[in-house]
Amino acid sequence: MVSTEYERRIAARFATFDQDGNGWIDREDFIAAAKALLTEFAVTARSDKGQALYAGAEAFWQGMAGIADRDGDQRITREEFVTGAVKRLRDNPERFAEIARPFLHAALAVADTDADGRLGVTDTARVLRVFHVPEDIALAAATALDPDGDGLVAETEIVPAFARYFTVPE
Ligand code: CA
Ligand code: CA
């Protein structure tokens, strides 16, 4: 049985990847996400951080396409996302962490303006919002990442947390 709650969560994850909202996920969505993050934190595309973010976005797209683009048309439809990505990533969250890590690592470097390897809860929520993670989920997720309540989130916590979010446990 597929629950309505489960379907709602799948739809939210799909919307997070489908940054331009045109109904499928493709390379442009990953480029758009990188661009939006650079704009949010006023980092130029030409900088080392900007270049690393675009390289990570390309690797993330290639990894997702390898998992989910069954017909090889360079687009992941909602159906491909549900039947391919969600199931396979749920079965193998480590694989998701692996393909997402270079992008997330670069994204954190962009957002971690004082370069201490940690992000404030509000900056973490900012990153999540840029990626179209719904507001309530973004704030709850950012707060959950800071169990000792010091207002800082360590990078080592963020990659597994993203993996948990995107692999959508039932
Ligand atoms: Ca799209
Ligand atoms: Ca496809």
Side-chain angles (χ1 to χ4, degrees):
M1 272 301 273
V2 176
S3 71
T4 307
E5 168 62 15
Y6 180 66
E7 284 174 355
R8 192 189 69 81
R9 281 154 63 181
I10 297 284
R13 300 324 182 263
F14 186 83
T16 301
F17 280 105
D18 181 17
Q19 288 275 311
D20 61 13
N22 64 354
W24 62 78
I25 300 163
D26 66 8
R27 177 181 277 110
E28 293 307 312
D29 292 309
F30 287 82
I31 293 171
K35 198 173 170 187
L37 191 72
L38 293 180
T39 302
E40 174 73 21
F41 288 93
V43 173
T44 65
R46 231 176 302 173
S47 65
D48 288 347
K49 285 180 180 180
Q51 292 296 305
L53 187 63
Y54 279 110
E58 174 63 20
F60 197 176
W61 157 246
Q62 291 290 341
M64 286 296 288
I67 285 171
D69 181 20
R70 291 181 164 186
D71 61 4
D73 69 350
Q74 300 294 306
R75 290 175 181 178
I76 301 168
T77 61
R78 186 181 293 262
E79 204 219 326
E80 285 175 327
F81 185 75
V82 172
T83 59
V86 173
K87 280 206 184 78
R88 293 187 58 184
L89 293 174
R90 196 173 54 218
D91 292 347
N92 190 356
E94 295 77 20
R95 174 75 187 127
F96 180 81
E98 207 174 283
I99 65 173
R101 184 171 284 114
F103 177 74
L104 294 176
H105 180 79
L108 293 171
V110 166
D112 178 18
T113 44
D114 64 1
D116 69 349
R118 299 184 302 177
L119 274 193
V121 167
T122 50
D123 282 339
T124 305
R126 253 170 101 191
V127 172
L128 294 171
R129 272 197 299 270
V130 168
F131 295 154
H132 297 183
V133 175
E135 182 85 11
D136 53 333
I137 297 174
L139 270 177
T143 306
L145 286 171
D146 176 28
D148 61 3
D150 68 352
L152 293 166
V153 178
E155 171 168 349
T156 47
E157 275 305 305
I158 290 178
V159 173
F162 261 81
R164 281 197 298 276
Y165 172 72
F166 283 113
T167 50
V168 197
E170 275 178 281

